[in-house]
Structures are given as structure tokens and as C-alpha cells.
Amino acid sequence: MTQNANKTVLYARVSTAEQNIDHQRTQAEAAGFTIDDVVADHGTSGVSTTLAERPEGRRLADMLRRGDTLVVRWVDRLGRNYQDVTDTIRMFMRQGVVVRTVINNMTFDGATTDPMQEAVRDALIAFMAATAQAQAEATKEAQKAGIDAAKNNGAKYRGGKPSYDRQTFKRVLDRLATEGNVSAIARGEGLTRQTVLRIRDRQADCEAALTKWGM
């Protein structure tokens, strides 16, 4: 790729630090996109933070030039706020950037000057942005309803039950102090490697979870 060649940039966003963006790139490449660069925000909400407020979101706006293509898995990666998503897509179109989605293979650009085509395009952008916000709100309400139901049923809301008991927890801590081989400990204790890493890195949280479950 020469210095002045147009580039295709994938913007990926995950809302928790534990998630990763690899599957978003894999999905884009499987759909036929050749990705020149990936810009990603980790552990960032699309509801409470606009694209311009995210560190990598700001960089994305600065690096894209006329003729470049911005690829997103779907518009909800740009955000889950109606106004932010519609403003963002229209801003990129004004700059001559083509916005494409992996899901549904949608293309948004500023090439058309026909008012009817513009109206259809803008209506579709608005619909997709509204859907992204509605999905976020529905998910939040479902989570709240689940928590309220558990409380109303007299159950103490405790989060997920640990996959180990207190004895196993103590053995893992002892082995971590003496051996340090996470994979070997996981195999020996019948746990996943991620569980052993969680015990190692978040010991206080794991201890609290055991206490909450009376284990």
C-alpha cells in the first residue's frame, strides 16, 4: 500500500475489558474485507460514551481521509446512542469516508446527490441507529428485571456460583505460590486456565464470591 493509497480501517469496540476484538476482525475478513488497520476501544460502553469521547474513537476520526473505508461489524460498534450514531455516520460521509457494515453488508457514503436516494439512505441510518439504542435499553431492562426477580423471590443476589470450593481455592493459592505453572495447576485441579488466572489475579473477589455462596 502506497502512502497515498486509500485504506480500509476496522473499528472494533468491546464493552468489557475481558472481551477481545479478534472475532470482529475475523468476521470482517471472512466477509471479504481486506483490513489495513484496526482501531479498537476496550472496556468502553457505547451507551454512556460517544465516539468522540473514546480514546481510539478520537484517533479514528483523525486518521480517516477522503476515499478511505470504515468497516464496523454493525452500527452498534460505533455506539448505542441514536444521536451519536447518526451524527457520526453523517460526519464521516461529509468527509468522503465510506462506512460499511459486516452484518447485512450495508454501505453508506455521500456519493449520491439525488434527494430521494439521500432520503432513503438517511432513513435507513436513522432506523439502524434507533435499533442499536433500543437493543441496549432492552438488554439493560432485562438484566434489571432478572435482579429484581431474584430479590423478590427472597434469594440473595450473589452473581455466578464459583466452579470451585474453598478447599480447592486454598490448594490453588498454595500451588501458585510454590509452582506458578498455571496450566499444570488447572489440569491438576480440574479447572479452566481462566479460573486459575482469576484466582491468582483477583483473590479478594474470589474469596468474596465463596463467602456469598456459603462455600
Side-chain angles (χ1 to χ4, degrees), residues 63-93:
M63 70 186 293
L64 290 171
R65 298 290 181 266
R66 180 172 296 275
D68 291 344
T69 298
L70 169 62
V71 177
V72 290
R73 185 182 66 86
W74 201 60
V75 299
D76 64 348
R77 296 304 86 196
L78 293 173
R80 289 181 175 273
N81 175 278
Y82 171 83
Q83 197 63 56
D84 179 42
V85 173
T86 53
D87 288 348
T88 295
I89 295 177
R90 288 167 182 160
M91 174 196 71
F92 283 127
M93 289 194 302

Side-chain angles (χ1 to χ4, degrees), residues 147 156-162 209 212-213:
I147 293 172
K156 183 180 180 182
Y157 185 66
R158 299 174 287 188
K161 185 176 182 179
K212 288 178 182 178
W213 281 92

